Amino acid sequence: MECNEPCIFTFSTLLTVGAVLLLWQQQRRASTYGRYNPTDSVLLLPARLTWLLQELPSFLVPTLLLTTSRELALPNIMLLLMFCGHYFQRTFIYALRLRGRPCQISIMLAAATFCTINGYLQSHSLLYCLHYPPDWIFGPRFMAGAVLFLAGMFINIHSDNILRNLRKPGESGYKIPKGGMFEFISGANFFGEIIEWLGYSLAAWSAPQAAFGFFTICSIGPRAYHHHRSLKQLFTTISYLPPSKILIFSTPANFTPIPLF
């Protein structure tokens, strides 16, 4: 298989334009999933099944393309491992441990469509289009990007574990997370994923990966803001020191309430 440059250019452009539109839309209202999901909808799927189905294409598409790929250079292999490693964790570990609200089928289908397109964009570009010198992995961009990716992945997984363990089976509502990055920012889990994909984009230094990093910021950055604003409204009757920052560091707070979703 050869590099499909028109397709890669089109998908990269669509991702960038879609990111801007999504950012604009989320300035008007929060995306309707998780805690913002309408409770009166009849077309709902369990949270675990939703996450499994919507994240699976990002892992499955690269796996299928690997069966027809050329011999890969080490930088391409490591970048593909970053992408697939994240989505293996999100599909087969995070999704199966998730405790959350049912999700609308329409939201799941939209997310699965995005994951299919982005899975193709990232894997096809790395398998057939991008050619790196063998010493690319020793360069400053790859090394700095890899460190950011690993740090972001650790923060993301650790923060998700804190949120998941806050309540016992059958409990609902909101509790106070302590430890990790929640001592500094209210959107620790979102912050970790943004850092993760910015590191991936830096390590790859290419348009398809940069488009994905930009999309991540425009997608979950506003969601962190909506969570932060909602919490400040929700806990107005309780005496506490709210976090002053959402995704950027602040001094440690006494405690930082965060929604479980």
Side-chain angles (χ1 to χ4, degrees), residues 31-45:
S31 296
T32 54
Y33 72 94
R35 66 166 303 184
Y36 306 105
N37 187 52
T39 56
D40 57 350
S41 176
V42 295
L43 299 175
L44 298 176
L45 288 176

Side-chain angles (χ1 to χ4, degrees), residues 163 177 181-191 224-225 227-229 231 242-248 250 256-259:
L163 293 175
M181 293 300 297
F182 287 114
E183 299 293 328
F184 302 93
I185 49 179
S186 63
N189 49 333
F190 301 116
F191 172 79
Y225 165 77
H227 277 0
H228 187 86
R229 185 180 63 176
L231 287 171
S244 60
K245 302 296 181 181
I246 303 171
L247 293 174
I248 308 298
S250 67
T256 305
I258 193 89

Side-chain angles (χ1 to χ4, degrees), residues 53-68:
L53 292 177
Q54 71 183 32
E55 303 288 298
L56 182 60
S58 288
F59 180 79
L60 186 60
V61 171
T63 302
L64 293 176
L65 287 180
L66 271 171
T67 61
T68 61

Side-chain angles (χ1 to χ4, degrees), residues 234-255:
L234 184 63
F235 287 87
T236 53
T237 59
I238 301 177
S239 176
Y240 80 105
L241 179 62
S244 60
K245 302 296 181 181
I246 303 171
L247 293 174
I248 308 298
F249 292 119
S250 67
T251 55
N254 290 341
F255 65 83

Side-chain angles (χ1 to χ4, degrees), residues 45-250:
L45 288 176
R48 292 181 179 180
L49 180 60
T50 297
W51 273 93
L52 177 65
L53 292 177
Q54 71 183 32
E55 303 288 298
L56 182 60
S58 288
F59 180 79
L60 186 60
V61 171
T63 302
L64 293 176
L65 287 180
L66 271 171
T67 61
T68 61
S69 68
R70 59 180 172 84
E71 184 177 350
L72 294 176
L74 183 58
N76 299 71
I77 294 174
M78 296 185 70
L79 289 166
L80 195 61
L81 284 175
M82 290 182 189
F83 184 79
C84 291
H86 170 90
Y87 279 105
F88 178 88
Q89 193 275 333
R90 298 295 279 183
T91 303
F92 300 108
I93 300 176
Y94 173 81
L96 298 181
R97 300 176 67 192
L98 181 65
R99 301 173 187 173
R101 299 183 181 185
C103 182
Q104 297 178 82
I105 292 179
S106 59
I107 296 296
M108 183 276 291
L109 292 175
T113 300
F114 166 79
C115 286
T116 301
I117 293 174
N118 188 55
Y120 174 84
L121 174 64
Q122 302 304 315
S123 56
H124 183 86
S125 62
L126 289 171
L127 290 171
Y128 305 109
C129 302
L130 299 175
H131 302 275
Y132 297 98
D135 61 350
W136 179 260
I137 60 173
F138 302 109
R141 284 171 290 193
F142 184 90
M143 294 183 70
V147 169
L148 284 174
F149 177 87
L150 292 174
M153 190 172 190
F154 174 81
I155 292 170
N156 181 244
I157 293 174
H158 184 249
S159 300
D160 283 337
N161 284 337
I162 291 175
L163 293 175
R164 182 169 47 250
N165 293 326
L166 281 178
R167 59 186 181 188
K168 299 177 182 179
E171 290 184 336
S172 61
Y174 302 89
K175 290 189 177 182
I176 302 166
K178 297 182 180 180
M181 293 300 297
F182 287 114
E183 299 293 328
F184 302 93
I185 49 179
S186 63
N189 49 333
F190 301 116
F191 172 79
E193 187 163 357
I194 288 174
I195 293 299
E196 196 176 346
W197 293 124
L198 286 180
Y200 168 75
S201 302
L202 178 61
W205 201 254
S206 184
Q209 288 68 39
F212 179 37
F214 180 64
F215 187 94
T216 301
I217 295 173
C218 294
S219 173
I220 65 178
R223 186 164 180 82
Y225 165 77
H226 285 296
H227 277 0
H228 187 86
R229 185 180 63 176
S230 175
L231 287 171
K232 294 185 73 172
Q233 297 170 350
L234 184 63
F235 287 87
T236 53
T237 59
I238 301 177
S239 176
Y240 80 105
L241 179 62
S244 60
K245 302 296 181 181
I246 303 171
L247 293 174
I248 308 298
F249 292 119
S250 67

